[in-house]
Amino acid sequence: MPTYDWIVNSSSLPWLRLKINFPYESMLKEAKKVSEYYQIKSYKKGPFADKDWSGVCLHGLSFDKTFTYFHYGYNSHDDAPYDWTEISPLCPVTKNYFKTVFPYEKYFRIKFMLLKAGGKIMPHVDDDINKLSNINVALNQPDNCMMKFSEKKELVPWEPGAAFMLNLSKEHAVFNNSNTDRYHMIIEGIGNEKFKKIVEDSYELQLGG
């Protein structure tokens, strides 16, 4: 059976569905409750910014610092003073789950992400290292909302509560062709031994060894 290190660093998978459960319905309610705090998630400025895509940090540098550490003058994750942000007390279910249940030993950013009805995230890459990295969790998944990696013909098989490790060095895009806002979460950090076992079991389930 492939090891965790090989699956993450050498398999070159675009995604891996994780065999793990989330209290996604309660998290969705909290994601909506803090809607006033969302920041536009675009590298473009002014009239060219993608106003349909936004996010807010529950854990990170601050609720409104949704980009990677180097955008704020830090050299690495180790250098960045990550902590629970100002809005985390408004999301007690989500905060408690990640503090006490989720199998990570350290967190970088934990974000709610919103793609508005009719919105799109055009093809792009987020990393230059070919590996599985961030975890993305669907708090809801509207019909006709699609995520596709350019090298694969099929769509990522999202459903509410599904969690995937994603390879963000591969070009991907999202199109919310629905009348419902799409709420997901992004989790960055370092997994513990239990998490590594989940990844290995998930690979076995998805790829059959």
Side-chain angles (χ1 to χ4, degrees), residues 32 46-47 80-81 83 90 92 100 122 124 130 134 144 156 163 184-185 197 202:
K32 292 179 177 180
D83 204 348
L90 301 176
T100 65
M122 298 305 292
H124 69 286
N130 183 12
N134 297 351
N144 297 318
V156 180
H184 279 211
M185 290 198 76
K197 182 65 165 57
S202 299

Side-chain angles (χ1 to χ4, degrees), residues 3 6 9 23 45 51 60 62 89 103 112-113 117 121 128-129 139 150 154 160 162 173 175 188 190-191 206:
T3 65
W6 183 88
N9 298 307
K45 304 297 182 182
K51 297 178 177 61
S62 179
F112 288 134
M113 300 301 299
I121 305 169
D128 57 1
I129 301 175
L139 303 185
S150 299
E154 70 267 23
F175 301 94
E188 298 176 334
I190 300 173
Q206 180 171 312

Side-chain angles (χ1 to χ4, degrees), residues 115 119-124 145-148 172-176 182:
L115 182 61
K120 57 185 177 293
I121 305 169
M122 298 305 292
H124 69 286
C145 183
M146 301 166 287
M147 181 178 191
K148 184 176 182 180
H172 55 283
V174 185
F175 301 94
N176 187 2
R182 168 197 185 257

Side-chain angles (χ1 to χ4, degrees), residues 163-209:
F164 287 81
M165 285 190 82
L166 301 178
N167 186 335
L168 301 177
S169 73
K170 297 180 182 293
E171 188 177 69
H172 55 283
V174 185
F175 301 94
N176 187 2
N177 300 322
S178 79
N179 296 318
T180 303
D181 292 341
R182 168 197 185 257
Y183 288 89
H184 279 211
M185 290 198 76
I186 294 175
I187 302 106
E188 298 176 334
I190 300 173
N192 59 23
E193 291 303 313
K194 181 179 179 180
F195 178 76
K196 293 178 181 180
K197 182 65 165 57
I198 289 171
V199 169
E200 290 172 351
D201 290 346
S202 299
Y203 180 90
E204 179 75 15
L205 185 65
Q206 180 171 312
L207 281 300

Side-chain angles (χ1 to χ4, degrees), residues 45-115:
K45 304 297 182 182
F48 299 104
D50 185 352
K51 297 178 177 61
D52 293 325
W53 187 27
S54 60
V56 63
C57 285
L58 276 73
H59 190 277
L61 298 172
S62 179
F63 79 91
D64 57 348
K65 290 181 170 61
T66 59
F67 291 102
T68 309
Y69 59 83
F70 57 78
H71 288 275
Y72 307 106
Y74 298 101
N75 296 317
S76 69
H77 284 305
D78 293 333
D79 185 38
Y82 297 120
D83 204 348
W84 293 102
T85 71
E86 306 91 323
I87 69 159
S88 64
L90 301 176
C91 306
V93 172
T94 306
K95 182 178 181 179
N96 182 66
Y97 174 81
F98 286 108
K99 287 187 71 173
T100 65
V101 179
F102 193 73
Y104 261 30
E105 62 185 37
K106 185 176 182 179
Y107 292 112
F108 305 143
R109 291 180 296 175
I110 302 174
K111 302 184 290 181
F112 288 134
M113 300 301 299
L114 165 64
L115 182 61

